[in-house]
């Protein structure tokens, strides 16, 4: 059904999108979006949705407002369901009303989904409540975009300066001098607290505080740039007690995640929770084998194994897809005991209804071997479904301990198709502080994509390297680097925690 939905994208933190907006994004045929909308939001869109970027960055409009309005009308007329995603709330200084006026004129059906405006969210993340019984009982949203050369201002500066209202100026960075001068000239106390919040609610949030008299020179001295909000009023002082977001230990730190895309989410989530700006750079591509003949044969003789040992989440996932393709389920494992090399693998098994019999204390092959030896593995038949290429130590040592071992490849890892340019550019801009490695293959593949000599100039002064465990660290040493961060326990949560401690 052709219709245009004007959606508020929220202020930047992708978690601040409304449920209604997400629902519509997931259904839309066409999504027309702006510069300020967080790129992460596009992940809610249908895979086959048509995505149109219409930009809007300072004065450099990729597409003029008239053309955007015409585009919405055209797309709706061609029978499409259109989501028009706009930063913050679409009706707060977003020209959303102009877009809808043209839809109405063209007789096109529409709906509006309000968003969390930056005017409310950015101060909240900066520890500034817009109202407080003691300090302010009203709020005014003001555009700071007015041409300072204009003789007749649209604003009643005297009313703004003398009210006890909290003032929130949008788009005010360029005109900071004239805005603050107007307020003081119109009678505002020079000591009135003021704050600038840049990139509010994102990992790049920065806040600068001062007074209405000194915030403009302070912003100039600090090189403070748009997009930012200027907040003026006594409530700004509450930030000293109510600040929280800016206490996040990794806020503003750029962290490169080199894990395969399918495996990255737990690390990404932990790092983002601590405020990090994550750069996804999957070095490994995981794929199913074209020929699953060998796995199928192993499945056919599953009943003959005493043990089945899984060394990764992918091993579990791909083994089960072969089971399921044969119309089987977890019961096919029958009497075989099950081992998992680490807690994530154990969880993947639990999702399949299997509670592993062995999860070693340390999450490396060496530790699995000693746990299994304790269980008396001699004379047992062991199946290890795993990646096509993997460390030989596990099967070798189990054979030495007297087991009969079948290693069966169930998936393949390869070099991901990646261009290292963006990461190197971000390093050049000083935006990256850590690169994380969660296996030897992430190290090896990273250096196939970004040669060691290109990384050298940044390490260790600007960029530190973090490894999940000793084997990964040793592989890194082979390339002439050492691991600056390495947790005592070889897990993803411990790695994230080690970064937090290092940054702190
Ligand atoms: N409709 C949007 C505002 C669009 S005007 C909303 O409701 O938030 C664009 C201006 O909004 C920017 O110049 C800046 O002043 C402000 N802005 C938007 N997102 C911001 C953010 N994350 N942090 C600080 N200011 C932001």
């Amino acid at each position: 059904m052709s219709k245009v939905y004007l959606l508020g994208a929220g202020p930047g933190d992708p978690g601040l999108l409304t449920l209604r907006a997400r629902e519509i994004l997931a259904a839309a045929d066409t999504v027309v979006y702006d510069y300020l909308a967080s790129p992460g939001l596009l992940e809610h869109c249908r895979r086959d949705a048509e995505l149109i970027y219409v930009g809007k960055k300072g004065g450099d409009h990729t597409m003029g407002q008239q053309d955007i309005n015409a585009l919405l009308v055209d797309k709706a007329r061609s029978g499409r369901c259109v989501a028009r995603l706009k930063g913050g709330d679409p009706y707060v200084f977003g020209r959303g009303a102009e877009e809808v006026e043209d839809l109405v004129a063209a007789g096109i059906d529409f709906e509006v989904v309000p968003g969390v405006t930056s005017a409310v969210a950015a101060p909240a993340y900066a520890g500034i409540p817009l109202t407080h019984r003691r300090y302010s009982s009203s709020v005014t949203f003001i555009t700071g975009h007015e041409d300072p050369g204009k003789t007749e201002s649209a604003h009643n500066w005297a009313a703004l300066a003398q009210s006890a209202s909290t003032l929130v100026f949008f788009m005010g960075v360029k005109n900071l001098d004239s805005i603050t001068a107007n307020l003081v000239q119109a009678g505002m106390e020079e000591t009135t607290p003021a704050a600038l919040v840049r990139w509010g609610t994102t990992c790049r949030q920065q806040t600068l505080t001062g007074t209405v008299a000194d915030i403009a020179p302070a912003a100039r001295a600090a090189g403070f740039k748009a997009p930012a909000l200027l907040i003026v009023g006594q409530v700004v002082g509450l930030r000293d007690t109510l600040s929280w977001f800016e206490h996040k230990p990794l806020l503003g730190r750029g962290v490169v995640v080199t894990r395969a895309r399918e495996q990255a989410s737990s690390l990404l989530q932990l790092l983002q929770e601590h405020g990090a700006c994550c750069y996804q750079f999957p070095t490994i591509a995981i794929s199913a084998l074209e020929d699953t003949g060998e796995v199928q044969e192993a499945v056919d003789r599953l009943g003959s194994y005493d043990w089945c040992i899984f060394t990764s989440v992918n091993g579990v996932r791909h083994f089960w897809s072969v089971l399921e393709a044969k119309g089987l389920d977890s019961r096919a494992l029958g009497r075989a005991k099950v081992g998992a090399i680490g807690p994530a693998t154990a969880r993947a098994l639990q999702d399949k209804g299997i509670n592993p019999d062995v999860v070693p204390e340390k999450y490396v092959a060496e530790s699995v071997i000693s746990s299994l030896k304790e269980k008396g593995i001699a004379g047992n038949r062991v199946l290890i479904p795993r990646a096509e290429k993997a460390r030989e130590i596990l099967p070798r040592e189990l054979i030495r301990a007297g087991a009969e071992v079948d290693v069966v490849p169930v998936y393949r890892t390869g070099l991901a198709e990646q261009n290292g340019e963006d990461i190197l550019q971000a390093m050049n801009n000083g935006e990256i502080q850590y690169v994380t490695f969660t296996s030897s293959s992430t190290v090896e593949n990273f250096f196939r994509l970004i040669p060691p000599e290109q990384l050298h100039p940044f390490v260790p002064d600007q960029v530190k390297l973090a490894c999940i465990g000793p084997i990964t660290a040793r592989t890194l040493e082979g390339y002439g680097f050492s691991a600056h961060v390495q947790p005592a326990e070889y897990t993803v949560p411990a790695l994230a925690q080690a970064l937090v401690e290092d940054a702190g």
Side-chain angles (χ1 to χ4, degrees):
M1 261 214 313
S2 82
K3 193 164 185 174
V4 176
Y5 293 87
L6 197 65
L7 308 183
D13 178 343
L16 296 177
L17 185 76
T18 64
L19 293 175
R20 178 71 176 145
R22 186 175 74 180
E23 206 171 78
I24 291 161
L25 276 183
D29 302 309
T30 299
V31 179
V32 179
Y33 66 102
D34 273 350
Y35 173 71
L36 280 176
S38 154
L41 300 183
L42 299 177
E43 280 165 25
H44 298 302
C45 300
R46 263 172 31 204
R47 263 167 205 280
D48 62 340
E50 172 188 28
L51 304 181
I52 306 177
Y53 173 67
V54 293
K56 266 209 175 180
K57 188 179 174 185
D60 131 50
H61 287 205
T62 305
M63 195 185 269
Q65 189 65 53
Q66 280 313 318
D67 295 333
I68 297 175
N69 298 7
L71 174 74
L72 298 178
V73 170
D74 270 5
K75 290 291 170 188
R77 284 216 170 115
S78 68
R80 303 179 74 88
C81 167
V82 183
R84 167 67 175 123
L85 195 57
K86 294 177 74 76
D89 178 87
Y91 278 178
V92 177
F93 299 121
R95 304 187 71 171
E98 294 167 46
E99 296 178 11
V100 174
E101 279 164 351
D102 278 17
L103 296 174
V104 172
I108 287 160
D109 205 9
F110 71 94
E111 277 186 33
V112 180
V113 180
V116 176
T117 176
S118 63
V120 169
Y125 274 47
I128 304 172
L130 295 181
T131 70
H132 188 288
R133 280 214 302 183
R134 270 202 298 279
Y135 307 105
S136 167
S137 50
S138 65
V139 185
T140 312
F141 293 165
I142 309 146
T143 171
H145 193 47
E146 230 184 21
D147 181 354
K150 225 163 85 175
T151 44
E152 282 284 299
S153 174
H155 304 323
N156 181 342
W157 290 102
L160 292 175
Q162 286 152 32
S163 78
S165 179
T166 301
L167 308 181
V168 183
F169 289 90
F170 290 75
M171 304 170 280
V173 175
K174 228 169 54 198
N175 295 338
L176 211 51
D177 281 299
S178 64
I179 292 168
T180 50
N182 277 328
L183 289 172
V184 172
Q185 271 163 27
M188 183 177 274
E189 287 278 356
E190 289 199 5
T191 54
T192 308
L196 280 166
V197 185
R198 174 171 199 249
W199 283 120
T201 79
T202 75
C203 65
R204 295 196 276 165
Q205 174 169 318
Q206 278 178 339
T207 303
L208 182 75
T209 51
T211 65
V212 70
D214 68 18
I215 192 121
R220 204 173 312 116
F224 204 95
K225 292 198 179 66
L229 292 162
L230 169 68
I231 303 134
V232 183
Q234 296 302 330
V235 288
V236 169
L238 289 163
R239 173 177 153 79
D240 295 338
T241 19
L242 300 185
S243 177
W244 58 278
F245 185 67
E246 287 165 38
H247 298 325
K248 293 203 175 230
L250 294 176
L251 192 72
R253 311 288 176 105
V255 183
V256 179
V257 173
T258 57
R259 296 199 105 176
R261 204 172 283 284
E262 298 84 338
Q263 290 179 300
S265 67
S266 62
L267 181 56
L268 288 171
Q269 211 177 345
L270 287 165
L271 293 171
Q272 280 160 356
E273 191 59 41
H274 290 302
C277 296
C278 291
Y279 291 77
Q280 273 211 69
F281 186 62
T283 55
I284 296 176
I286 291 170
S287 50
L289 300 179
E290 294 92 50
D291 178 5
T292 57
E294 214 184 322
V295 200
Q296 298 203 34
E297 284 168 24
V299 167
D300 290 340
R301 53 171 195 267
L302 259 182
S304 72
Y305 289 103
D306 303 294
W307 280 94
C308 191
I309 299 173
F310 293 91
T311 59
S312 72
V313 173
N314 279 302
V316 173
R317 202 172 287 160
H318 287 275
F319 185 75
W320 253 264
S321 49
V322 173
L323 274 190
E324 281 157 15
K326 286 175 91 75
L328 299 170
D329 59 33
S330 303
R331 288 171 296 176
L333 282 166
R335 65 178 187 92
K337 291 205 172 82
V338 175
I341 206 161
T345 310
R347 243 182 335 268
L349 285 165
Q350 279 154 353
D351 287 346
K352 305 292 183 193
I354 304 276
N355 214 359
D357 300 276
V358 166
V359 186
E361 270 166 36
K362 283 201 167 182
Y363 310 123
V364 286
E366 287 77 351
S367 181
V368 190
I369 293 157
S370 61
S371 310
L372 286 171
K373 278 186 185 163
E374 276 168 32
K375 296 252 171 189
I377 194 100
N380 280 183
R381 276 176 56 74
V382 180
L383 175 67
I384 308 179
R386 62 172 199 182
E388 209 171 32
K389 274 189 237 138
R391 296 178 67 217
E392 286 316 318
I393 176 158
L394 181 62
R396 201 181 54 218
E397 290 300 311
L398 291 179
I399 289 166
R400 270 183 46 184
E404 197 183 315
V405 178
D406 286 344
V407 169
V408 178
V410 291
Y411 67 98
R412 173 176 298 154
T413 60
L415 183 65
E417 264 182 52
Q418 276 292 353
N419 184 341
E421 285 304 310
D422 289 352
I423 292 293
L424 284 168
Q425 186 59 49
M427 283 191 190
N428 254 321
N429 298 344
E431 291 165 6
I432 291 178
Q433 281 69 47
Y434 295 102
V435 180
T436 59
F437 297 105
T438 47
S439 66
S440 290
S441 353
T442 60
V443 176
E444 287 153 5
N445 286 4
F446 182 88
F447 288 119
R448 283 162 77 186
L449 298 163
I450 297 182
E453 60 274 17
Q454 296 200 29
L455 184 65
H456 259 299
F458 302 104
V459 177
D461 294 340
Q462 185 200 311
V463 177
K464 291 192 193 174
L465 307 180
C467 286
I468 196 162
I471 313 267
T472 309
R474 209 168 315 137
T475 308
L476 189 61
E477 276 158 26
Y479 291 87
F481 294 94
S482 48
H484 308 105
V485 180
Q486 195 188 305
E489 191 191 336
Y490 318 142
T491 63
V492 162
L495 176 64
Q497 192 53 36
L499 286 183
V500 166
E501 278 155 28
D502 186 78

